[in-house]
Amino acid sequence: MTTRILPAVGDPDAARIFSTLLSQLPSAEPSPSVPDSTTLLDTLARLAVDSLDELPEVVLVHERIGPVPALELIREVALRFPAVGVVLVSSDAGPALFSAAMDSGARGLVGLPLSYDELAARVQAAAQWSVGVRRHLGRGAADADALTGPGGRVVTVTGAKGGVGTTFTAVQFALAAAASGRRTALVDMDLQAGDVGSYLDVQFRRSIADLAGIQDVSPRVLQDAVYEDRTGLALLLAPADGERGEEVDDRAARHIVGALRGRYELVVVDCGTQVTGANAAAVEMADVAVLVTTPDVIAVRAAKRMVRLWERLQVRKAEDTAMVVNRWSKHTEIQPALIEKITKTRATRTPVPAAFKELQAVVDAGRVQDLDNRSTVKQALWTLAGELGLLAAPDTPAAAPAPPGGALTLRAAGTVSRLRRGREG
């Protein structure tokens, strides 16, 4: 059996040593080394699109990989690609690191400097485990679901600037998913100025900051911090005291989002409009990253600035970002196609119309869940939720789910339908 090995090594000299030793292993097929965590995750995701069989059996992670720390990267690979055996390579081969690596999902630990015999033994053990898991999972249509790991999908919603409708969009996405039958969590990671609770008329003593110092976010601990709302959403709110937002760093964000992913079918994260370590980690982990803008020069410039910042920080590539254009009208000079060209993102097919009068009453009352089903804004956002694959039946994105208390029907001659026909034409 041929063992495909993908090393993730940032240091060029170490990468050459890895390549030399791996090429000497019997029946080994080493791939060129990837230099950072972002490239590794992108490579695995690209390979997983076709089939489970396209993934390497073994991934080697060097201790100095970045920008994501090695143990966090191992945890992410283990969650998203459970059929891949991950081996950590470190100069510290002591019991404490071994235990931490196993807790993160690694299948072995190899000490530095590299020893041929030790490397061969660890790679062989990880490969055998990987083959066994794949045999158990089987092949076919279920591969895509198996590759996502335990739990569901993560979608982040970020604003190009303040006031573009980020929180409202995130809330409506979550409401649409919950109404379609998906068990959905909504996380407010706008840590200093989160308004999810205000939009849904919710007050709760617990917040995401209460989970920041916990190393192992167990289901019971998570249950204590999450508010089960009558809308069907599980809410993890931002701290009432903005200064507590500093307690939630990138490490805490990864643990929290990972725990939520393991418990809910869909996790919607409102990332606000400022880049912090916590929401950057969430965007990097996300299966779908949404950037919200309005069709005006200032907002589009801010969207371009945000995309470039993500790329410099190796958080997200522009082409992997879905752009939602809010407050659109046919008279707007800046159209979605132009925004897509300027930012190099992927503009969604459905723009959200400018109709604030429909929203003003429920926003002022702090009850956006009561927005009328006839609202063109609601229709557009719920249609977008289907377009992005957030609903329980993603194969029919044009039909929005029925919200509690009534059916939501997209009118054939309505604004959203006309916009879609105009875009497709």
Side-chain angles (χ1 to χ4, degrees):
M1 182 195 75
T2 300
T3 301
R4 292 165 298 179
I5 307 169
L6 178 59
V9 188
D11 181 68
D13 294 333
R16 282 193 292 270
I17 296 173
F18 273 59
S19 178
T20 301
L21 277 179
L22 291 175
S23 63
Q24 297 174 10
L25 298 181
S27 303
E29 185 181 310
S31 300
S33 177
V34 294
D36 54 65
S37 58
T38 302
T39 307
L40 174 63
L41 294 174
D42 287 348
T43 300
L44 293 175
R46 185 175 65 253
L47 293 172
V49 168
D50 297 329
S51 169
L52 182 68
D53 291 331
E54 297 299 319
L55 286 168
E57 283 78 18
V58 179
V59 168
L60 296 177
V61 176
H62 191 266
E63 62 179 354
R64 295 180 182 175
I65 195 69
V68 177
L71 291 179
E72 297 300 325
L73 178 60
I74 290 171
R75 187 187 303 274
E76 184 71 8
V77 172
L79 283 172
R80 294 178 59 181
F81 312 100
V84 175
V86 187
V87 176
L88 174 63
V89 182
S90 173
S91 56
D92 177 11
L97 181 61
F98 181 85
S99 177
M102 296 304 104
D103 289 343
S104 297
R107 302 306 308 172
L109 173 63
V110 178
L112 289 173
L114 286 176
S115 161
Y116 175 88
D117 292 336
E118 185 181 19
L119 180 63
R122 298 294 176 266
V123 167
Q124 182 180 11
Q128 290 175 347
W129 176 88
S130 175
V131 171
V133 170
R134 296 179 195 208
R135 186 179 299 116
H136 175 73
L137 291 176
R139 298 173 174 82
D143 283 354
D145 293 333
L147 290 168
T148 61
R153 306 179 74 203
V154 174
V155 55
T156 56
V157 183
T158 307
K161 58 182 289 293
V164 297
T166 309
T167 300
F168 188 85
T169 299
V171 170
Q172 290 299 325
F173 281 171
L175 288 171
S180 75
R182 279 196 164 170
R183 183 162 168 75
T184 304
L186 175 59
V187 184
D188 194 344
M189 210 170 280
D190 188 357
L191 297 172
Q192 291 188 342
D195 284 323
V196 167
S198 298
Y199 271 56
L200 294 170
D201 191 24
V202 169
Q203 292 183 350
F204 192 55
R205 67 184 186 281
R206 300 288 188 186
S207 75
I208 190 172
D210 295 309
L211 299 176
I214 301 175
Q215 296 297 321
D216 182 17
V217 184
S218 65
R220 178 171 294 183
V221 170
L222 194 62
Q223 184 178 2
D224 290 340
V226 167
Y227 177 81
E228 298 288 343
D229 189 53
R230 58 186 175 274
T231 58
L233 296 177
L235 303 177
L236 185 56
L237 303 176
D241 301 324
E243 63 272 17
R244 291 200 64 197
E246 296 180 0
E247 300 174 22
V248 186
D249 57 13
D250 57 338
R251 181 183 178 86
R254 291 181 188 280
H255 284 170
I256 294 166
V257 174
L260 289 166
R261 172 181 255 160
R263 187 177 174 89
Y264 297 93
E265 293 180 80
L266 181 71
V267 181
V268 180
V269 184
D270 176 7
C271 291
T273 60
Q274 294 185 354
V275 177
T276 65
N279 60 35
V283 171
E284 186 177 31
M285 293 176 67
D287 299 286
V288 180
V290 173
L291 184 59
V292 182
T293 187
T294 49
D296 59 84
V297 172
I298 303 300
V300 173
R301 284 178 177 171
K304 184 177 181 180
R305 184 169 60 241
M306 180 71 74
V307 169
R308 286 182 171 178
L309 178 58
W310 282 351
E311 288 188 327
R312 288 196 305 273
L313 296 177
Q314 297 182 332
V315 170
R316 200 85 181 183
K317 294 181 180 178
E319 59 268 25
D320 295 333
T321 304
M323 181 68 70
V324 169
V325 181
N326 191 20
R327 299 174 195 154
W328 177 91
S329 76
K330 62 182 179 181
H331 304 295
T332 304
E333 185 175 349
I334 301 176
Q335 293 295 314
L338 179 58
I339 297 175
E340 183 177 49
K341 183 177 180 181
I342 292 172
T343 61
K344 296 181 171 56
T345 56
R346 296 180 293 104
T348 52
R349 294 193 303 271
T350 307
V352 183
F356 183 72
K357 287 184 178 180
E358 299 176 357
L359 315 179
Q360 188 165 5
V362 294
V363 170
D364 289 346
R367 294 185 55 83
V368 298
Q369 64 268 40
D370 295 337
L371 182 61
D372 195 290
N373 297 337
R374 294 171 295 179
S375 164
T376 57
V377 175
K378 182 173 184 176
Q379 290 180 21
L381 287 171
W382 286 39
T383 300
L384 266 175
E387 181 182 327
L388 295 170
L390 311 185
L391 308 185
D395 54 326
T396 56
L408 176 60
T409 304
L410 294 182
R411 295 169 291 176
T415 304
V416 175
S417 298
R418 290 198 299 270
L419 298 184
R420 189 180 299 109
R421 286 200 299 269
R423 291 272 293 157
E424 293 174 350

